[in-house]
């Protein structure tokens, strides 16, 4: 039987959850995926999220280097989001959750 380390401050599961456990985080990552997505597209795709929460989640994902933001200085303003290399590493996790949901819950 495999013995896992204690879930203390150095726990890898705890560290991962601190980045990915937001209510909307995985859904945002799922929607961006390997695409370049504009804010309005995300707002429409993640139904039920408020603008305030979407902005907070995106800022958190940018701060943790999972998502990058590109601003085009034009009128009207254009902003694009994409996953960083670190963010792309979360896709297998998101895909497994989606697969589990399709097989067992939907």
């Amino acid at each position: 039987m495999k013995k896992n380390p204690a879930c203390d401050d150095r726990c890898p599961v705890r560290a991962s959850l601190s980045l990915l456990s937001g209510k909307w985080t995985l859904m945002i990552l799922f929607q961006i995926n390997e695409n370049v997505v504009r804010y309005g597209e995300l707002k429409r795709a993640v139904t039920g999220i408020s603008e305030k929460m979407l902005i907070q989640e995106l800022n958190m994902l940018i701060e943790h280097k999972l998502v990058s933001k590109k601003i085009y200085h034009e009128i009207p303003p254009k902003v694009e989001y994409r996953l960083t290399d670190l963010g792309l590493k979360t896709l297998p996790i998101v895909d497994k959750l989606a697969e589990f949901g399709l097989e067992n819950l939907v």
Side-chain angles (χ1 to χ4, degrees):
M1 186 166 97
K2 181 181 175 188
K3 176 133 170 101
N4 291 318
C7 286
D8 58 13
D9 291 340
R10 296 173 298 153
C11 176
V13 173
R14 184 178 293 219
S16 296
L17 285 175
S18 73
L19 291 176
L20 303 175
S21 66
K23 176 179 179 179
W24 304 101
T25 303
L26 293 173
M27 287 182 266
I28 292 169
L29 295 172
F30 180 69
Q31 289 302 319
I32 296 174
N33 214 297
E34 295 178 354
N35 304 308
V36 176
V37 181
R38 295 185 61 188
Y39 177 83
E41 293 175 88
L42 278 175
K43 178 73 176 113
R44 286 187 297 277
V46 183
T47 57
I49 191 170
S50 69
E51 287 196 38
K52 177 184 175 186
M53 281 308 303
L54 181 55
I55 291 167
Q56 285 179 353
E57 287 286 326
L58 286 168
N59 287 335
M60 185 275 302
L61 290 167
I62 291 165
E63 181 182 325
H64 288 109
K65 298 182 177 27
L66 295 170
V67 171
S68 67
K69 176 181 179 179
K70 184 173 185 180
I71 301 171
Y72 294 88
H73 298 286
E74 56 188 50
I75 299 193
K78 178 179 169 184
V79 180
E80 294 178 338
Y81 298 93
R82 72 177 61 207
L83 297 184
T84 62
D85 289 340
L86 181 61
L88 289 169
K89 290 180 180 181
T90 67
L91 291 181
I93 299 165
V94 175
D95 290 342
K96 281 292 183 187
L97 284 170
E99 182 181 311
F100 178 82
L102 285 171
E103 291 175 358
N104 300 292
L105 305 174
V106 178

